[in-house]
Amino acid sequence: MKKIIYTAIAGLMLFSNGCKDYLDTKPYSFNTVENLYKTAQDAEIGLTGCYNILNATNVQGSGFGESFTVKMPIMLSAGTDELVTQDGFTDPNYAPFGTAEVSSQNETIRNNWFFLFAGINRCNYLLENIDKANVPEPRKHEIIGEARFLKGLLYFYLASFYGGVPVYNTAIHDAKAQRNNLQEVYAQIISDLTNAYENLPKRANINGRANKWSAAGFLAKVYTYLGSCSENQVGKSLDFPLNSFDWVNKTEMYTKAKSITDQIIAESGYNLTDNYSHLFRETTKTEIAEESLFSILSKTNSPNGNYNLWLFWQIPIGSSVAGGGYGWFRPTGELFFKYNNLDERRKNNLTLHVDPIGQTELIDGINYFIPFPCTDPLNGNYCVGKFRYRDPNSKSISNGTAWSDADVPLLRFADILLLNAEAKFYTGDLPGARARLKEVRERANPTSIDALTIAYYKADFIEELIDERSRELCFEGWRRIDLIRFGKYSSAINSLSNNMGAWNSIVPVLKSNLKAHKIWYPIPKTEIELSPLEQNPKY
């Protein structure tokens, strides 16, 4: 990664993956650096390349979906109290994430590092050259804001995965640059996201682009992450200064988190869409847009487009004819019992298999197969059912019907309400915090909200909040981060039973591999050999 200079690549690579959904313009490619960023259209094309990294299938021919397309959802969700590797599944690029066996030589780790820094490089290249493109105002500052939003977003995930990483603000990446500590990394993240917050419009003019509230939402994520890591002394026992949170003022972080989430709730215009399940269907894009502050868009009917691949674990298992998937990762039995029987979210998120002879439903005129309901997590067909493919007969995707053209919500308004609850609690408003939890769970069953409130009540508000975040946000890429930042990573996994669910049989393996230092993924071995970078402790 250190020796890669994205010059013409920044333009060339984005078109290898298409850009039609972001810009209604004819694709261009570039042969020399000198031809880049001569016009406003060039700047728009370069920006599309920056967005492209979020769901890129490969970069420069390397990797397979180490973006949000395939691998990052696994890195963010597996090996927790919600999701484990299917017992017997051993693919080295996937399985180790569900059993806490990831090493510095893991190919997914290597490519994820490469993908995320490639995206940062594209953003830096655009920011360095925007003045050459003669972009009129206010669009020029919006492009800068979008590029900085993406840069801040990518650094947020890098820091969540690896801790301190090299911080680059130029397109030339110094081959000898060392890791910056977390204080320096988060200073950059907050600076980038704040710029985006201050310069982007309340709604973007191009579908799929970040806006003011996208940036505000991820600032809230950063503030609550830092506040909770400080509160719970995350990583303190490792005595590793690069990844220390000793510098964080948790009171300041939660005060800022409350302020910005209050503003999002009052002013953004986002809300909880009526039907929870429609947030996770391929064709319900309008309802997703009501609640999602930022979504990753897929390409439709493009020969080289970016698509999502939910096939491996995020959809119900079963026949491809019915839109079924593989089930490489399975939910724990504990997650099933975290839901009360009155909570409608469970029947969407946790199911059995789909079958061509099963029932179907029409959603906005589109046919979907309904998975068999799960009443017992000991059933061998117990699986993740949160996301759904439509009937393949109604699908026309150039990559094939195993792929998805869905819009994937990365940050939902429900999460903002939960972050606001957390911030209210830490700034002294417990009644207000509990009211926010009620607001989120009311959608799960409005007529039984009082019963759910009683059933889910815990005297320790943070314990109740952590459970509610799991019920609402499971499999959306927040559980690993949540367990770590609340200091629950080890205790949550160690509390799992070996036999509460059909796939808890793998739990002893997960527990045997569990170590305190695994709150961080290892720095890829290739990076250590090239730079050399300092490795995370005990890898």
Side-chain angles (χ1 to χ4, degrees), residues 340-503:
N340 184 274
N341 289 337
L342 295 172
D343 194 326
E344 294 291 321
R345 292 173 295 188
R346 182 167 71 182
K347 73 178 184 181
N348 178 79
N349 298 341
L350 303 169
T351 69
L352 301 183
H353 61 293
V354 288
D355 194 290
I357 64 171
Q359 293 183 327
T360 62
E361 62 179 336
L362 287 177
I363 300 177
D364 298 330
I366 304 296
N367 195 50
Y368 285 82
F369 286 89
I370 301 173
F372 289 93
C374 181
T375 58
D376 181 2
L378 289 171
N379 188 307
N381 287 322
Y382 177 53
C383 64
V384 175
K386 189 162 198 173
F387 300 87
R388 306 284 173 85
Y389 282 0
R390 63 192 181 273
D391 183 346
N393 287 327
S394 65
K395 234 169 160 177
S396 177
I397 294 180
S398 59
N399 284 24
T401 56
W403 294 77
S404 176
D405 54 4
D407 294 348
V408 180
L410 203 59
L411 179 60
R412 296 197 283 116
F413 186 73
D415 199 350
I416 297 299
L417 294 175
L418 293 171
L419 296 176
N420 184 254
E422 180 182 341
K424 281 179 177 290
F425 173 77
Y426 280 113
T427 55
D429 183 6
L430 178 58
R434 291 199 182 279
R436 288 296 188 211
L437 295 193
K438 184 176 181 180
E439 189 175 349
V440 171
R441 64 172 65 116
E442 186 170 12
R443 175 171 57 181
N445 191 332
T447 61
S448 300
I449 182 58
D450 291 337
L452 288 178
T453 299
I454 293 170
Y456 291 156
Y457 175 83
K458 289 189 174 181
D460 184 331
F461 173 79
I462 292 300
E463 293 290 343
E464 184 176 343
L465 172 69
I466 293 170
D467 282 353
E468 192 59 38
R469 289 187 62 80
S470 180
R471 285 185 285 260
E472 176 70 22
L473 302 171
C474 61
F475 316 131
E476 293 183 53
W478 296 113
R479 191 57 176 176
R480 176 181 164 86
I481 289 175
D482 280 348
L483 290 181
I484 290 170
R485 72 187 183 92
F486 285 115
K488 302 292 184 182
Y489 177 65
S490 294
S491 61
I493 292 171
N494 281 323
S495 69
L496 294 174
S497 163
N498 298 347
N499 53 20
M500 187 170 283
W503 301 101

